[in-house]
Amino acid sequence: MDSAPSTGRASGLATFFTVTFATTWGFWSIAILLGEPPTTFPTVVPFLLGGFGPVFGAIAVRLRRRKLGEPIPHHTVRVRLNTRLLWALPLLALAAGTVAGGALLAQALGGPAVDLDSGQQLMASAGGAAPFFISMLVAGPLAEEPGWRGTAYPRLLATTGGVQASLILGAAWATWHLPLFFVTGTVQSSFGLLSWSGLLFSLSVFPMALLTGLAYELGGVPAAVTVHFGVNATAAVLTAYSPTTQAVVLAVQLMVAVPLALRRTRLAVTHHAALA
């Protein structure tokens, strides 16, 4: 099916956001009511299902598009194995580097020391490095990026630029995470919603949205998954959760993400002007 711009009601954005928030907040509300950590049964079931809300939203949009016979959005990125996936390794290094660099800089500025022991204990509790990294890949990147970047982002690009689209998704993403502050045993609940750590966590999704949006434009959903995984896994391994470390990591990610996003925008404008 040919690709074409999708705007207004036909874009499917309303469907995506409605299904995403309804499924996620519905399942996570059950997890909150159960009052047990998400690693215990039966809380683990609604907790995991809630994390896949963006995938449910993406499926709903695709079913709707097929039913209405709509074209694929013009800005959707097709993954070419011989070119697009080559971005995965450098983007993984970039994403992990922003967190590791920020954590080390925070330590140099007098913040908490980088804590590898806690990260090793976390991996051991998950059954080893392989199960830990697989769980980090599934619970977050694979559960979210087909929706946020693979579905919502190209549709937003039909009416706005990449930076604006990323900021809109950042606001939606931060709001989407709010129930996690009330699920017993999550990192967010340990922060507390009305705390510096809670605020910094919510703000951190904005540079993440810029980086994952840029990654999507370069290499599609796999590249966005790579960036999301790199940030989440590195933060968990280094236990980069103190307010000082969070603030420095946030600053580092902004210093990396904003220039890259603006440069990408300028290149896109130049390209479109040349074609005009």
Side-chain angles (χ1 to χ4, degrees), residues 92-111:
L92 176 62
L94 175 68
T98 61
V99 179
L104 291 171
L105 180 57
Q107 177 180 317
L109 293 174

Side-chain angles (χ1 to χ4, degrees), residues 42-146:
T43 307
V44 65
V45 177
F47 177 76
L48 289 177
L49 288 174
F52 279 86
V55 168
F56 295 140
I59 293 172
V61 169
R62 280 155 179 75
L63 291 175
R64 176 186 181 277
R65 189 186 72 203
R66 183 176 300 177
K67 179 180 179 181
L68 298 177
E70 297 173 352
I72 297 171
H74 179 70
H75 296 281
T76 298
V77 174
R78 278 71 161 181
V79 177
R80 298 179 180 88
L81 295 180
N82 61 335
T83 56
R84 296 286 188 187
L85 291 183
L86 293 178
W87 284 102
L89 189 58
L91 286 170
L92 176 62
L94 175 68
T98 61
V99 179
L104 291 171
L105 180 57
Q107 177 180 317
L109 293 174
V114 172
D115 185 5
L116 292 175
D117 290 338
S118 294
Q120 291 174 347
Q121 292 173 8
L122 186 62
M123 283 188 276
S125 67
F132 169 76
F133 285 117
I134 290 172
S135 67
M136 292 297 297
L137 179 63
V138 173
L142 288 179
E144 299 178 34
E145 292 308 325

Side-chain angles (χ1 to χ4, degrees), residues 98 203 206-208 210-211 247-260:
T98 61
L203 290 176
F206 288 94
M208 273 281 286
L210 289 169
L211 288 171
V248 177
V249 170
L250 174 62
V252 170
Q253 290 184 331
L254 284 171
M255 287 189 291
V256 171
V258 172
L260 288 175

Side-chain angles (χ1 to χ4, degrees), residues 32-271:
I32 293 170
L33 291 174
L34 290 173
E36 298 293 332
T39 54
T40 61
F41 185 83
T43 307
V44 65
V45 177
F47 177 76
L48 289 177
L49 288 174
F52 279 86
V55 168
F56 295 140
I59 293 172
V61 169
R62 280 155 179 75
L63 291 175
R64 176 186 181 277
R65 189 186 72 203
R66 183 176 300 177
K67 179 180 179 181
L68 298 177
E70 297 173 352
I72 297 171
H74 179 70
H75 296 281
T76 298
V77 174
R78 278 71 161 181
V79 177
R80 298 179 180 88
L81 295 180
N82 61 335
T83 56
R84 296 286 188 187
L85 291 183
L86 293 178
W87 284 102
L89 189 58
L91 286 170
L92 176 62
L94 175 68
T98 61
V99 179
L104 291 171
L105 180 57
Q107 177 180 317
L109 293 174
V114 172
D115 185 5
L116 292 175
D117 290 338
S118 294
Q120 291 174 347
Q121 292 173 8
L122 186 62
M123 283 188 276
S125 67
F132 169 76
F133 285 117
I134 290 172
S135 67
M136 292 297 297
L137 179 63
V138 173
L142 288 179
E144 299 178 34
E145 292 308 325
W148 297 125
R149 253 55 62 177
T151 302
Y153 188 72
R155 287 165 173 78
L156 287 168
L157 287 179
T159 56
T160 188
V163 173
Q164 295 92 326
S166 294
L167 294 178
I168 291 169
L169 282 183
W173 208 6
T175 305
W176 178 82
H177 278 97
L178 288 179
L180 290 180
F181 286 93
F182 305 99
V183 177
T184 301
T186 63
V187 172
Q188 291 82 3
S189 69
S190 70
F191 292 158
L193 179 60
L194 302 178
S195 67
W196 282 115
S197 287
L199 173 62
L200 289 166
F201 171 82
S202 295
L203 290 176
S204 71
V205 302
F206 288 94
M208 273 281 286
L210 289 169
L211 288 171
T212 48
L214 175 63
Y216 174 78
E217 291 189 48
L218 293 172
V221 170
V225 167
T226 297
V227 169
H228 195 156
F229 169 75
V231 170
N232 283 8
T234 307
V237 170
L238 300 182
T239 321
Y241 297 135
S242 75
T244 301
T245 304
Q246 285 179 290
V248 177
V249 170
L250 174 62
V252 170
Q253 290 184 331
L254 284 171
M255 287 189 291
V256 171
V258 172
L260 288 175
L262 292 176
R263 182 176 184 275
R264 184 73 175 174
T265 299
R266 287 195 296 269
L267 290 175
V269 170
T270 301
H271 176 70

